[in-house]
Amino acid sequence: MSEAEGAREEDVAAPAPAFSVPAMSDVLGMISDAPSAAPGAFAAASGAPDGASTSGAPGAPVHPSASNPDPHGIYIDEVQGHQRRYRRLIHFTHSSTKAAGVMLLAAIVALVVANTGAHEPFLEFWHTHVIIGFGDFVGEMSLAHIINDVLMAVFFLLVGLEIKYEMTVGELTNIRQAALPIIAAVGGVAVPIVVYSAFNAGNPATAQGWGVPTATDIAFALGIMALLGNRVPNGLRVFLSTLAVADDIIAILVIAVFYGTTPSLAWLGCAAAVLVVLLVMNRAHIFSLYPYLIIGAVLWFCVFMSGVHSTIAGVLLAFTIPSGSRVNLNSFLNWSNDRVREARQVYDAEVPVIAQGEYIETVQNLSRVTRQVVPPATRLEHKLYSWVYFGVLPLFALTNADVALAGADFGALASSPVLLGVFFGLVVGKPVGIMLFSFLTVKLKVASLPENVNWVHMLGAAILGGVGFTMAIFVANLAYDDEALISAAKLGILAASLVAGVAGFMFLLMQARADKHRGVAYVTTSSEDVCRQTAGVEAARASEQLMASLDDEELYDRVDAARRAKPGVAEVVVERRKG
């Protein structure tokens, strides 16, 4: 069977990237005597079908880890050390907590440099122009603008891919299930606008900054929640991640509609024509990423020249990249099994592999088709994650968090309506809006709280929504023309993000300690074909450790039943038995 045979578009659920996060050392401290608990000391009190397979269960598959990078002995002994280092690198670069840490470090460096004698050379470096010429065409752009206009378009491409996943097979497919976080996101945008406007409505120079405190930094918010591992229920992680995605959609619309120069209709027409080409490619079942990326670069240029902010091109491109598989998945399993049998039959252990032409050809054919099983959107999302969260966003923080305080009039700064509007919009407006709209949604029976989630959990997540950082700074750069106003807004964003991050974490930690006092922990599991995102992986790995320490057959049975009950993530509440 050729690799072209059976090829058709099958818009299957594109698995989300498995963002592996190292488990926290104190997770088992959730229940003080968990490591020494005898079998039967705990019971699964309730199951809530709703998210990585729990390998602690008997017979569950063993997956590669940093400590055991090759559990199946696939690689030769001589490269086991390389594999171990590679798995550690993968764990580091796919960790939401470490990504947030790197961005925070970049922001701190920018703040320190901005208040030393190195600030001027620092600014001069980022304003160095890069010139590209081809024939009569000469284009130039400063390093800072390359980061803000080009690299941030790549960030928005990743955001667009995440939004498309949620709208295709994720939490935004079921409108009733997604109603609570979507409505909460609307409240988390509306109330901060009111708060900001209360400080700035009478000042035309600052009134247009109302969009600054409306954005939530998904990387920071989920990174902070990931620190809690399985000490918070899975439903809360789903709520916050869906709220952040909905928040991103609103922020993208705000940027596109309100924060751009007067658009050029000619260039907008060119952008629309390029977008039509991308859509035609999608409908024509073109599954190679390279044509999309090349034409996507043309789309970026047209949007950039139109006056609409060029990062919107990244989101538009994301929605044209296919989320289905080129391979007929129904016939692939049988075909791949046949190829594996052929390879086994022709393989000769006594002959060097380089001399086994038939074996190499069979394996290459299998490898070539297998790579095409993964949808293009998922492949691109996997490739972009590390580069964006450990490259693009830290660079953005480094070039945009440089708030100079040396010689500043702190009295005037503290009374700045921009700073006050942004700070209180994020710290007060965000949680009030999220909680108020969530409360009304639940009371009107439009939706209910997620399983195992209470209002203290919701308050902690709502406060984390005030971590604006990346997106808020991005909007601030577009909202103001005066550098002094931009600096005041940035200072408000940084202060609010710090307060919201610490306060949100502490609220959730207090609830986790209350659960610990009651002897309660959360075990999340899923079917083998589900890949967890960001903070969910932290909880799944902590759950594996907890189950392994308890070694309770009844718990294994309950977890297995929850996993089979419904596709997706399942959660089981584990309670310590009295006496």
Side-chain angles (χ1 to χ4, degrees):
M1 179 178 178
S2 69
E3 72 176 279
E5 291 177 358
R8 64 178 177 86
E9 178 175 18
E10 190 156 292
D11 208 9
V12 297
F19 300 149
S20 301
V21 185
M24 296 174 65
S25 60
D26 62 340
V27 167
L28 295 181
M30 271 296 302
I31 301 176
S32 58
D33 56 347
S36 59
F42 293 78
S46 65
D50 180 49
S53 58
T54 305
S55 60
V62 178
H63 301 292
S65 64
S67 58
N68 187 12
D70 187 19
H72 305 291
I74 296 175
Y75 299 98
I76 61 176
D77 293 340
E78 289 80 0
V79 299
Q80 289 298 327
H82 301 321
Q83 283 299 116
R84 190 170 292 106
R85 287 187 288 272
Y86 172 74
R87 294 304 308 182
R88 287 173 181 159
L89 178 63
I90 292 297
H91 278 214
F92 182 89
T93 57
H94 288 77
S95 162
S96 57
T97 52
K98 299 214 170 32
V102 171
M103 284 187 281
L104 180 60
L105 178 62
I108 292 172
V109 169
L111 278 172
V112 171
V113 172
N115 292 279
T116 65
H119 191 210
E120 285 300 322
F122 182 80
L123 291 176
E124 289 177 7
F125 172 77
W126 292 116
H127 285 89
T128 302
H129 279 242
V130 176
I131 301 174
I132 299 176
F134 183 79
D136 293 333
F137 171 79
V138 177
E140 63 177 291
M141 186 178 285
S142 70
L143 291 176
H145 278 98
I146 289 175
I147 293 170
N148 291 342
D149 292 325
V150 181
L151 296 186
M152 285 300 287
V154 179
F155 164 67
F156 276 85
L157 171 59
L158 180 59
V159 170
L161 291 171
E162 292 172 347
I163 292 172
K164 182 176 183 178
Y165 172 82
E166 293 296 338
M167 295 179 68
T168 306
V169 294
E171 297 300 325
L172 298 181
T173 54
N174 185 330
I175 190 62
R176 185 167 179 83
Q177 183 178 351
L180 182 62
I182 290 175
I183 295 172
V186 172
V189 169
V191 177
I193 292 175
V194 173
V195 172
Y196 180 89
S197 298
F199 287 95
N200 294 273
N203 188 344
T206 62
Q208 75 272 19
W210 55 265
V212 176
T214 63
T216 296
D217 191 305
I218 187 171
F220 262 112
L222 290 178
I224 293 169
M225 185 169 283
L227 292 171
L228 294 162
N230 69 339
R231 289 182 279 188
V232 293
N234 178 67
L236 191 66
R237 285 188 294 273
V238 173
F239 171 82
L240 183 60
S241 61
T242 308
L243 181 146
V245 169
D247 192 279
D248 282 343
I249 295 174
I250 297 172
I252 289 166
L253 292 175
V254 167
I255 292 170
V257 175
F258 297 102
Y259 293 119
T261 58
T262 303
S264 164
L265 295 181
W267 280 109
L268 279 180
C270 292
V274 174
L275 183 61
V276 169
V277 171
L278 289 166
L279 292 171
V280 169
M281 288 167 53
N282 180 290
R283 300 304 299 170
H285 298 168
I286 295 176
F287 288 91
S288 172
L289 279 172
Y290 295 109
Y292 289 95
L293 297 179
I294 292 171
I295 297 179
V298 178
L299 176 65
W300 175 90
F301 182 76
C302 292
V303 174
F304 176 78
M305 296 299 294
S306 74
V308 176
H309 201 274
S310 56
T311 52
I312 302 302
V315 179
L316 296 175
L317 174 60
F319 277 86
T320 66
I321 296 175
S323 59
S325 176
R326 178 182 180 180
V327 176
N328 184 330
L329 301 180
N330 292 323
S331 61
F332 171 73
L333 292 177
N334 290 332
W335 178 86
S336 60
N337 284 335
D338 291 341
R339 301 291 79 75
V340 171
R341 280 194 294 270
E342 285 181 15
R344 185 180 291 113
Q345 290 169 0
V346 300
Y347 175 68
D348 187 347
E350 303 300 323
V351 178
V353 67
I354 196 172
Q356 300 187 51
E358 188 176 358
Y359 172 78
I360 291 176
E361 182 181 357
T362 302
V363 172
Q364 282 181 331
N365 193 17
L366 178 61
S367 174
R368 188 162 48 246
V369 176
T370 301
R371 281 197 298 269
Q372 299 177 66
V373 170
V374 181
T378 304
R379 294 204 308 270
L380 183 59
E381 192 173 355
H382 286 186
K383 292 175 181 177
L384 288 180
Y385 181 83
S386 298
W387 292 104
V388 167
Y389 284 102
F390 287 86
V392 173
L393 293 184
L395 279 174
F396 178 82
L398 191 62
T399 55
N400 289 276
D402 55 331
V403 180
L405 299 175
D409 184 346
F410 286 96
L413 196 59
S415 61
S416 166
V418 170
L419 186 148
L420 294 175
V422 169
F423 179 84
F424 286 106
L426 287 169
V427 172
V428 177
K430 269 287 184 182
V432 168
I434 292 171
M435 288 297 289
L436 177 60
F437 278 54
S438 296
F439 182 79
L440 293 175
T441 303
V442 172
K443 287 302 177 184
L444 294 174
K445 301 187 184 305
V446 176
S448 58
L449 288 180
E451 193 75 26
N452 302 319
V453 173
N454 58 39
W455 286 108
V456 177
H457 286 134
M458 292 290 288
L459 179 58
I463 295 173
L464 285 180
V467 179
F469 202 65
T470 304
M471 195 69 82
I473 291 177
F474 188 82
V475 175
N477 287 333
L478 302 176
Y480 307 106
D481 296 323
D482 190 330
E483 284 295 328
L485 296 179
I486 294 176
S487 295
K490 287 180 179 179
L491 185 58
I493 293 166
L494 295 175
S497 297
L498 176 62
V499 171
V502 173
F505 177 82
M506 292 307 298
F507 264 92
L508 293 176
L509 184 61
M510 284 167 49
Q511 182 60 35
R513 288 177 174 172
D515 286 340
K516 175 183 175 181
H517 183 72
R518 294 188 294 119
V520 172
Y522 304 96
V523 173
T524 61
T525 184
S526 72
S527 55
E528 294 178 17
D529 59 344
V530 173
C531 294
R532 303 293 295 278
Q533 289 183 286
T534 53
V537 172
E538 180 73 39
R541 296 183 64 189
S543 297
E544 294 173 8
Q545 291 190 19
L546 179 60
M547 290 183 66
S549 70
L550 297 178
D551 193 23
D552 188 336
E553 290 298 332
E554 182 183 351
L555 177 57
Y556 287 139
D557 292 341
R558 292 292 186 92
V559 169
D560 187 60
R563 183 189 301 132
R564 296 172 183 274
K566 178 184 174 182
V569 179
E571 183 167 73
V572 173
V573 179
V574 182
E575 293 189 32
R576 180 167 51 200
R577 286 178 176 167
K578 303 296 183 181

